[in-house]
Amino acid sequence: MGTGSARLRTRPCGRDPADGTGRGCVPSSPAVPIFASCHGRTPPPPSGRPGPVCDHAETMAKSVLTPQSEDFPRWYADVVAKAGLAENGAARGTMIIKPWGYAIWERIQAELDARIKATGHDNVSFPLFIPYSFLQREAQHVEGFSPELAVVTHAGGEELAEPLVVRPTSETVIGDAMSRWVQGHRDLPLLLNQWANVVRWELRPRLFLRTTEFLWQEGHTAHATFDEAQAETLLILHHVYDDVIRNVMGIPSLLGRKTDQERFAGADSTYTLEALMRDGKALQLGTSHNLGQNFAKAFGITYSDADGGQQHAWTTSWGVSARLVGGLIMAHGDDRGLRLPPALAPVQVVVLAVKDEAIAACERLVGELTHAGVRTRLDGRTSQSFGRRAVEWELKGVPVRLEVGPRDLEAGSLTLVRRDRDRKETIPLEGAAAASADLLDAIQSGLLAEAEARRSAATTDVDTAAAVEGAGFFRLPWDRLGTGGEADLAERGYTVRCLVREDGAVPAPQENDGLIAYVARAY
RNA sequence: CGGGAUGUAGCGCAGCUUGGUUAGCGCGCCACGUUCGGGACGUGGAGGCCCCGGGUUCAAAUCCCGGCAUCCCGACCA
């Protein structure tokens, strides 16, 4: 054919290597950025001419999305639309989560749910409607939430005697139930969780990040002592949330305590996980609250202690939402779309049959991979062009793609593409399942390492609030900043994302001396 | 709530200033054929309450009045 040399130049692992072993150069080839030199150019001339260096790798670079560097919010909207994650609902601020977006959420849910149960919590389901009066029982709570409440005043064709609130969160209804369920100290701790939708009226919605209705998980617990409640608050923060977010989703986050300004309405102290997105803005991924005895007092959650005295319980609440999907997109996504960490990906390996005659071989591969415990999908939609399908899986962020075509079958090989690097390799068909499964761990840790490196490069130590300028995290002494400095920063669009001890640990509820404030612009 | 803009095919838009053929274009969709190793091509086709209501006129997507809806810009939140 005469195209061999051109191909070899563009693809270090050309499918017809001179040694004829079909092995290409899997272990030794340097990380060649195959599309770096031809980004965004016009399509290559018809193949068969040993002309330009780029061959088909050139079109591989053609971006379907607005580049991140050009307009990050637009890039985000493009990814959500083109990867088929979600779209706007008919009513303002609502969201339709599409199959791929929901599959990602279901994976997050599964990982969280397993850990929530493993730490002794039981799932329950509480009502969507809450009597308005419940909200009013806790002064801080109503005050914090009333601007974003959706209130039902009419139903069944009549005006309601007492309006109903569509739950913005469930501390109040659950507090009411707890007051009946908790009688003696033997009923404690009471460890509950629910998966639910909640409604908070939003003026500026953004798919996944801020919508009027959203899906989340909310945990609610009651304890006999402050210390137990505090231990629960931090257990969830570290061993449920951070474990999933870091080890499954591959996102490093800062764990710390919120300032009084940013505290949850009704909490004594709020702990948070804050992650840095690729545009240098911070995103709050989850919160865990020590509610002290505020809700116990408001709802009469009391118990008889071992000495027969009546005590108020100590409660906590904690939640993460489908916003995590938004965080995932913005933490890992690149100009070609989503990049899913394998531990999370609904599909870890997609096997793409270039033409019909490759389908049987693909089915065998899918069988081997599935047998090895890899979440695998076959793409045998040969009525659609190869390119369209390749782009689609790239947008969707599937970590590994195996392409099998007629030429591969002849050579006993296939093409492997890893999404984290967008590098193509030709490997033998024999053992390909095992080889691609082995890659998953490397991709997982690579994405986390990349995000960590990006964050540390974007974190700056400063001495004064005035020095806070631009993107990324700014560290400065909380003693020096104070509540006044916090207010000044707010006017310039910056917030104190969280307070952390000098040694990186999470501060105690009342601890205030020697803390570091992490400041950033946030979503 | 204040300011700016937009409603025309599933999506993105043109047409409106200066009223007048059958309301167009791109993408998508359907059929057939050729293709398939990075968003294929050809031919044919389907798809419209021109946001709603009124008015002006022989004639309104186009002009006038009134609604409604959506989007963008200024104070909060998983």
Side-chain angles (χ1 to χ4, degrees):
Chain A
M1 275 203 25
T3 56
S5 63
R7 242 181 238 130
L8 283 171
R9 263 182 286 144
T10 53
R11 305 201 325 165
C13 310
R15 67 184 78 81
D16 44 6
D19 66 3
T21 62
R23 265 177 194 287
C25 40
V26 178
S28 57
S29 81
V32 179
I34 21 182
F35 50 85
S37 60
C38 43
H39 181 87
R41 294 292 178 270
T42 51
S47 61
R49 290 268 156 266
V53 185
C54 273
D55 197 45
H56 74 262
E58 175 166 283
T59 36
M60 183 167 171
K62 198 163 63 177
S63 182
V64 199
L65 306 169
T66 305
Q68 290 185 343
S69 56
E70 188 183 310
D71 184 345
F72 197 84
R74 187 152 166 215
W75 167 84
Y76 178 83
D78 283 358
V79 174
V80 171
K82 299 223 173 185
L85 301 177
E87 59 187 50
N88 286 310
R92 183 194 165 82
T94 58
M95 168 165 66
I96 298 167
I97 305 181
K98 297 168 74 173
W100 191 246
Y102 200 73
I104 293 169
W105 173 236
E106 280 184 307
R107 285 285 310 126
I108 295 173
Q109 267 189 306
E111 296 288 343
L112 287 166
D113 198 60
R115 287 162 179 78
I116 288 168
K117 285 173 179 155
T119 45
H121 304 81
D122 293 315
N123 280 340
V124 290
S125 179
F126 273 78
L128 175 70
F129 296 120
I130 302 177
Y132 194 85
S133 59
F134 275 27
L135 267 288
Q136 296 171 315
R137 304 260 280 266
E138 215 287 334
Q140 296 294 317
H141 196 63
V142 231
E143 194 187 327
F145 277 107
S146 46
E148 34 187 352
L149 290 182
V151 181
V152 180
T153 55
H154 290 72
E158 314 183 351
E159 184 165 355
L160 297 173
E162 182 186 352
L164 296 173
V165 168
V166 182
R167 64 179 164 216
T169 178
S170 303
E171 275 76 6
T172 57
V173 250
I174 295 183
D176 175 63
M178 282 179 164
S179 71
R180 282 175 281 115
W181 297 351
V182 173
Q183 298 289 330
H185 68 92
R186 292 191 181 89
D187 296 323
L188 297 173
L190 180 58
L191 306 175
L192 305 176
N193 177 65
Q194 81 167 343
W195 291 94
N197 57 340
V198 287
V199 167
R200 297 180 189 177
W201 216 251
E202 283 296 345
L203 298 179
R204 223 169 265 316
R206 276 247 253 156
L207 290 175
F208 289 113
L209 299 175
R210 249 188 343 240
T211 50
T212 282
E213 179 192 3
F214 59 91
L215 301 181
W216 78 342
Q217 153 283 124
E218 49 179 322
H220 296 271
T221 67
H223 306 263
T225 66
F226 169 85
D227 286 345
E228 281 180 36
Q230 178 65 14
E232 166 78 8
T233 306
L234 296 184
L235 173 79
I236 297 298
L237 187 76
H238 288 100
H239 296 290
V240 177
Y241 292 162
D242 194 37
D243 189 31
V244 170
I245 291 168
R246 180 183 182 84
N247 298 324
V248 178
M249 301 180 68
I251 303 174
S253 36
L254 278 174
L255 277 54
R257 202 189 71 213
K258 284 292 190 187
T259 63
D260 291 350
Q261 193 70 36
E262 303 274 327
R263 204 173 357 105
F264 174 75
D268 268 9
S269 48
T270 289
Y271 291 87
T272 179
L273 298 98
E274 301 282 332
L276 196 65
M277 303 294 103
R278 294 189 94 183
D279 61 347
K281 287 174 78 173
L283 180 69
Q284 177 175 305
L285 294 180
T287 47
S288 185
H289 316 290
N290 186 335
L291 302 175
Q293 293 181 309
N294 301 333
F295 285 87
K297 284 177 177 164
F299 288 88
I301 309 172
T302 58
Y303 68 95
S304 307
D305 65 21
D307 303 323
Q310 282 294 304
Q311 303 287 341
H312 282 289
W314 300 80
T315 65
T316 79
S317 70
W318 26 277
V320 293
S321 73
R323 167 184 276 186
L324 286 172
V325 177
L328 181 79
I329 297 167
M330 293 194 293
H332 295 311
D334 65 14
D335 283 351
R336 312 176 64 75
L338 203 47
R339 295 193 304 168
L340 294 173
L344 182 73
V347 174
Q348 296 169 307
V349 176
V350 61
V351 180
L352 199 160
V354 176
K355 295 189 71 170
D356 283 333
E357 52 260 52
I359 284 183
C362 289
E363 281 171 346
R364 277 196 298 279
L365 268 172
V366 169
E368 286 175 48
L369 283 159
T370 305
H371 185 71
V374 176
R375 293 187 287 276
T376 311
R377 186 176 297 185
L378 171 67
D379 184 347
R381 300 171 296 167
T382 51
S383 61
Q384 290 200 44
S385 73
F386 168 83
R388 176 168 295 271
R389 292 182 289 147
V391 166
E392 183 184 328
W393 292 115
E394 226 154 59
L395 282 165
K396 288 187 183 314
V398 171
V400 174
R401 186 169 75 249
L402 302 179
E403 303 170 355
V404 185
R407 290 200 287 267
D408 286 312
L409 294 179
E410 258 174 65
S413 65
L414 57 70
T415 303
L416 180 152
V417 193
R418 44 189 289 190
R419 180 62 183 86
D420 60 336
R421 297 183 187 169
D422 285 322
R423 178 151 46 113
K424 294 195 175 194
E425 297 173 1
T426 299
I427 63 169
L429 194 55
E430 191 70 34
S436 47
D438 287 348
L439 268 181
L440 296 178
D441 283 346
I443 295 174
Q444 180 77 28
S445 52
L447 285 175
L448 176 63
E450 196 183 316
E452 279 180 325
R454 194 178 305 115
R455 183 181 68 177
S456 70
T459 302
T460 320
D461 282 292
V462 294
D463 291 329
T464 63
V468 171
E469 187 62 60
F473 279 124
F474 298 89
R475 290 162 44 92
L476 72 165
W478 175 234
D479 299 331
R480 185 172 307 204
L481 185 64
T483 310
E486 187 179 11
D488 292 344
L489 282 170
E491 282 177 24
R492 296 169 42 214
Y494 290 91
T495 46
V496 176
R497 301 317 303 160
C498 62
L499 303 174
V500 175
R501 272 190 203 152
E502 197 113 41
D503 63 4
V506 160
Q510 304 302 328
E511 181 177 355
N512 276 309
D513 294 338
L515 298 181
I516 303 292
Y518 276 83
V519 172
R521 289 191 197 275
Y523 278 97

